[in-house]
Amino acid sequence: MSIDQSDADRANAFFLLDEVLQFFWPAALRAAAELRVADHLADGPLPVQDLAKAVGADPRNLYRALRLLATRGVFAEDAEGRIALTPKADPLRSDAPNSVRSGVIMVTDAMFWSTSGAITDSVREGGPVFERIFGVPFFEYFATDPATVALFHEGMASYSDSENLPVARALPLAGGTRLVEIGGGHGHLLRTVLREHPGVHGVLFDRPHVVAEHGLGELGDDTRWETAEGDFFDKVPAGDAYLMKRVLHDWSDDECVEILSRCRDAMHPGGRIYAVDTVIPEGNAYDHGKVLDVLLMVAFTGRERTAAEFATLFDRAGLTVERVIPTDSVMSVVEGSRA
């Protein structure tokens, strides 16, 4: 028995079959990043043979990977058959002002690649699959491999660096504010905030081995900042305002309430909390946060949240969401105060 298909039916079927092959796009992007293809094209186009020799690759297979990337404007083949850098490929350069090379390599690393392949288990069971695959929870996994620690922090920095200036400019900080950045990593965001708000004093708070690698010295004025070491589930430094970027999305609701509660306990009267994350909009439209949310689903206990879900977290921690401040990036600032 044959089943007649309309043109629309066939088009929809092909759409799904084509979509399922799209994971080869980030795979090819990873190859280009690892081989530093963009670095070797910074001075101009190269024949594939010369480019392959420079990066240590097979000419034919290198061409095939780059030909796929070129379909989205990442690299291009010119009329003479040479491979050229394009504006969309330029951020893959290691020395580009907004280099994302480390971010591309991080997101396509086995810690995310392998977990994404087990997404059905995460959907079925309701939790991350990272520990089952790697033997320990995500953040404990770092302790087993220093190279992975470096990869994660470099990758996150490449994501965050393009967001930091818009976030810093969106923060409504008054002069004289003692601002504590919770889980601030190497201090890239705090450094940007202090440059944009000259009257603010910053405190970088994170684990000892993370704070040890901070870059706040680049400010050139060590009277405007200090570092503090500890565990944000235990106790945080006193301050007028608390800033946390891409922190709450790593943790479950109960864990987020613990973090927010520690900030509430330590904040000075009239204090504020600024939680910087993607805020998921209602409806079916594409949103960058919806993609990140699925990544988090398979690897972490956390998730991206809607404005209403942030309000619930803050309320449970004895805080009130005052407003959600958009930025000129994919991030928003959820501002809260003591209830």
Side-chain angles (χ1 to χ4, degrees):
M1 177 180 176
S2 63
I3 300 176
D4 292 332
Q5 288 184 313
S6 68
D7 289 343
D9 289 336
R10 285 190 293 271
N12 290 335
F14 178 77
F15 167 78
L16 293 177
L17 292 173
D18 188 54
E19 283 290 295
V20 81
L21 290 171
Q22 295 307 306
F23 70 92
F24 282 108
W25 153 256
L29 199 56
R30 177 184 178 85
E34 285 197 299
L35 294 172
R36 298 180 184 271
V37 170
D39 289 356
H40 290 278
L41 295 175
D43 294 329
L46 288 174
V48 174
Q49 292 286 345
D50 294 349
L51 180 59
K53 183 177 181 180
V55 303
D58 176 78
R60 181 167 59 183
N61 284 353
L62 176 64
Y63 173 74
R64 294 162 79 182
L66 297 180
R67 179 173 61 184
L68 173 61
L69 295 179
T71 64
R72 299 195 184 186
V74 180
F75 303 108
E77 181 180 6
D78 66 16
E80 299 176 31
R82 300 176 303 174
I83 303 299
L85 200 62
T86 61
K88 287 184 178 179
D90 193 68
L92 286 175
R93 289 191 297 113
S94 302
D95 60 351
N98 288 311
S99 176
V100 298
R101 177 177 177 270
S102 295
V104 168
I105 294 173
M106 177 193 72
V107 173
T108 55
D109 184 77
M111 59 181 160
F112 295 125
W113 198 264
S114 298
T115 50
S116 67
I119 189 172
T120 302
D121 292 336
S122 183
V123 170
R124 180 184 291 121
E125 298 165 8
V129 294
F130 189 95
E131 184 171 357
R132 195 194 71 203
I133 294 173
F134 291 95
V136 291
F138 187 89
F139 288 110
E140 290 183 26
Y141 176 69
F142 289 164
T144 68
D145 184 8
T148 302
V149 176
L151 172 65
F152 181 75
H153 284 293
E154 290 171 9
M156 287 306 301
S158 75
Y159 265 85
S160 294
D161 285 350
S162 63
E163 303 162 348
N164 287 343
L165 185 57
V167 168
R169 288 176 173 171
L171 292 172
L173 298 172
T177 297
R178 177 180 171 85
L179 176 68
V180 182
E181 187 181 7
I182 303 297
H186 295 162
H188 293 200
L189 173 58
L190 185 58
R191 186 174 63 213
T192 304
V193 171
L194 295 179
R195 283 173 175 159
E196 290 296 307
H197 300 273
V200 170
H201 182 85
V203 182
L204 180 66
F205 179 74
D206 212 315
R207 295 283 193 172
H209 70 278
V210 178
V211 171
E213 302 294 328
H214 77 83
L216 292 175
E218 294 180 20
L219 284 169
D221 182 356
D222 60 8
T223 66
R224 295 198 55 216
W225 57 269
E226 61 191 88
T227 63
E229 303 170 352
D231 180 350
F232 50 54
F233 287 113
D234 180 27
K235 185 179 180 181
V236 302
D240 302 309
Y242 292 84
L243 174 64
M244 56 190 83
K245 180 168 177 276
R246 294 190 185 273
V247 171
L248 295 183
H249 78 170
D250 288 342
W251 304 98
S252 69
D253 288 357
D254 288 345
E255 290 165 324
C256 287
V257 171
E258 284 295 312
I259 297 168
L260 292 169
S261 296
R262 298 293 78 74
C263 294
R264 181 187 183 280
D265 293 343
M267 72 166 53
H268 294 158
R272 286 288 189 271
I273 288 183
Y274 302 107
V276 183
D277 265 313
T278 61
V279 177
I280 302 292
E282 303 293 342
N284 298 320
Y286 172 83
D287 185 79
H288 180 72
K290 295 177 182 178
V291 181
L292 291 180
D293 185 50
V294 176
L295 179 151
L296 293 169
M297 179 178 74
V298 296
F300 297 84
T301 59
R303 59 196 173 100
E304 304 294 353
R305 295 176 171 89
T306 65
E309 289 168 334
F310 273 109
T312 298
L313 290 183
F314 277 54
D315 181 67
R316 288 180 58 194
L319 301 163
T320 298
V321 170
E322 300 288 349
R323 56 178 169 164
V324 176
I325 307 170
T327 75
D328 290 330
S329 72
V330 298
M331 310 301 284
S332 295
V333 180
V334 181
E335 180 182 1
S337 63
R338 191 191 300 268

